[in-house]
Each structure stands twice: as C-alpha cells, then as structure tokens.
C-alpha cells in the first residue's frame, strides 16, 4: 500500500485479450493485454494532473523486447478520504515474433505527475510461456 503522498503499481499481470484472468500461456504472435493495478494515495490525489504507464514485453529466452506501449491519462484532483485504486489496461497488438516455449515477462513503470512533483513506481509481471 502506498503512503498518502505516493503512487504505486500494486500488481502487474498478463491476460488474454479483453479478459481479467491471468494467462499462463500466450499464442505466438497473438494479441494479449497487460493489466496494472495502481493506487494513488489520498493526499497526492488532491494535487494530481496526469498519470503515465509505460509497459515493455520482454522475451526472457532471447533477451529481446517484443513491444513497448504506453498510455497517458489526465487526472482531476479530488479531495477524498480514500486512495484512488484503478486498473490500467495496455493492449499488446498481434504480429510479434517468438518461438514456442519462449518465456515472456511484462515490465512497467507508473508515473504520477502533480505540478512539478513526479512519483515513480515499477513492477514486473509473472512469466508466461509462448504456445502455438
């Protein structure tokens, strides 16, 4: 759990396209999604302006990056007694190349901007295996 003035990725995981269930395998070249569960502390939420999520999908078996995606959302400051909890979804488009049995991992950085202040967090997903 982040502090009241922090933002964190609480969980990062790979899922089948348009689902919420963690994937153990992904079909070679097929589209899939990466979900980041994030939380912004209640004090930081009072002064936020935007959030960014940067995700790289890495083929650990070949030491290569398959894809890099990012998203940016404008945030509206809110005086709320609770932190903001949300799920951010990154779509990994199809067409990437890997061999059957290769092991993939998603790596993410989450950035929250509040005026001149920025807060960073990073996380790694569990691994998934490429199937055919």
């Amino acid at each position: 759990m982040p502090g009241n003035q922090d933002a964190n990725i609480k969980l990062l995981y790979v899922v089948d396209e348009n689902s919420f269930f963690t994937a153990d395998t992904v079909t070679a070249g097929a589209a899939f999604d990466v979900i980041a569960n994030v939380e912004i502390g209640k004090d930081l939420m009072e002064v936020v302006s935007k959030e960014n999520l940067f995700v790289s999908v890495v083929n650990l078996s070949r030491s290569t990056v398959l894809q890099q995606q990012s998203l940016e959302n404008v945030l509206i400051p809110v005086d709320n007694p609770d932190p903001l909890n949300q799920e951010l979804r990154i779509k990994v488009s199809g067409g990437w190349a890997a061999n059957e049995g290769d092991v993939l991992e998603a790596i993410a950085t989450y950035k929250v901007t509040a005026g001149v202040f920025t807060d960073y967090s990073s996380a790694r997903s569990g691994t998934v295996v490429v199937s055919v």
Side-chain angles (χ1 to χ4, degrees):
M1 178 173 165
N4 289 337
Q5 297 177 358
D6 298 318
N8 283 342
I9 300 175
K10 296 180 75 168
L11 181 63
L12 184 71
Y13 55 103
V14 175
V15 299
D16 292 325
E17 189 174 27
N18 299 319
S19 81
F20 284 98
F21 300 104
T22 304
D24 294 322
T25 62
V26 292
T27 303
F32 60 91
D33 298 339
V34 176
I35 296 178
N37 290 67
V38 299
E39 182 173 294
I40 302 174
K42 63 179 184 160
D43 291 344
L44 183 57
M45 272 306 297
E46 293 177 2
V47 294
V48 294
S49 54
K50 70 178 177 176
E51 65 183 350
N52 298 84
L53 180 66
F54 309 96
V55 174
S56 296
V57 178
V58 178
N59 184 331
L60 297 175
S61 301
R62 310 240 177 249
S63 297
T64 58
V65 175
L66 294 181
Q67 277 195 24
Q68 293 179 306
Q69 301 284 340
S70 64
L71 65 82
E72 179 176 297
N73 293 320
V74 173
L75 296 174
I76 307 299
V78 176
D79 184 9
N80 192 334
D82 298 316
L84 172 70
N85 292 291
Q86 62 181 343
E87 292 180 334
L88 302 177
R89 182 180 294 261
I90 293 279
K91 301 275 188 186
V92 177
S93 58
W96 50 272
N99 295 329
E100 180 179 18
D102 282 357
V103 177
L104 308 183
E105 177 183 49
I107 301 170
T109 300
Y110 181 57
K111 174 185 173 186
V112 173
T113 303
V116 297
F117 177 72
T118 54
D119 190 71
Y120 290 93
S121 174
S122 63
R124 301 170 76 163
S125 73
T127 57
V128 295
V129 177
V130 176
S131 64
V132 292

